[in-house]
Amino acid sequence: MKTLEELLQGIGCVGEVFDSTGEFTEAGSKAYHFLVDLLYDIECLTGKSVSCIIRELDNICEENY
């Protein structure tokens, strides 16, 4: 199982995803927004809601970082 950091690096985040305070770096934020936009595009394509997935990702960010 991949961490959120590994996932974001896998979709193109170059460099660190999080800074020393646990906040997204500029590159990490850009990758996270790309992922969220991709999920919403998949929702439009399939008609299946991704809101619970995005909520869970947001919770992971708040809890672990």
Side-chain angles (χ1 to χ4, degrees):
M1 180 155 115
K2 290 185 178 183
T3 64
L4 179 58
E5 185 171 18
E6 291 169 329
L7 181 67
L8 294 176
Q9 288 172 335
I11 62 169
C13 182
V14 178
E16 299 296 321
V17 174
F18 300 100
D19 64 18
S20 61
T21 66
E23 298 295 320
F24 279 123
T25 62
E26 186 175 335
S29 179
K30 184 177 177 182
Y32 187 75
H33 289 292
F34 175 82
L35 175 60
V36 169
D37 289 344
L38 178 63
L39 288 169
Y40 280 125
D41 288 342
I42 291 169
E43 178 178 84
C44 288
L45 183 65
T46 65
K48 301 197 187 263
S49 177
V50 296
S51 59
C52 57
I53 294 170
I54 293 170
R55 253 192 322 273
E56 189 65 32
L57 289 172
D58 288 342
N59 288 338
I60 291 168
C61 290
E62 291 173 11
E63 291 173 8
N64 293 330
Y65 302 101

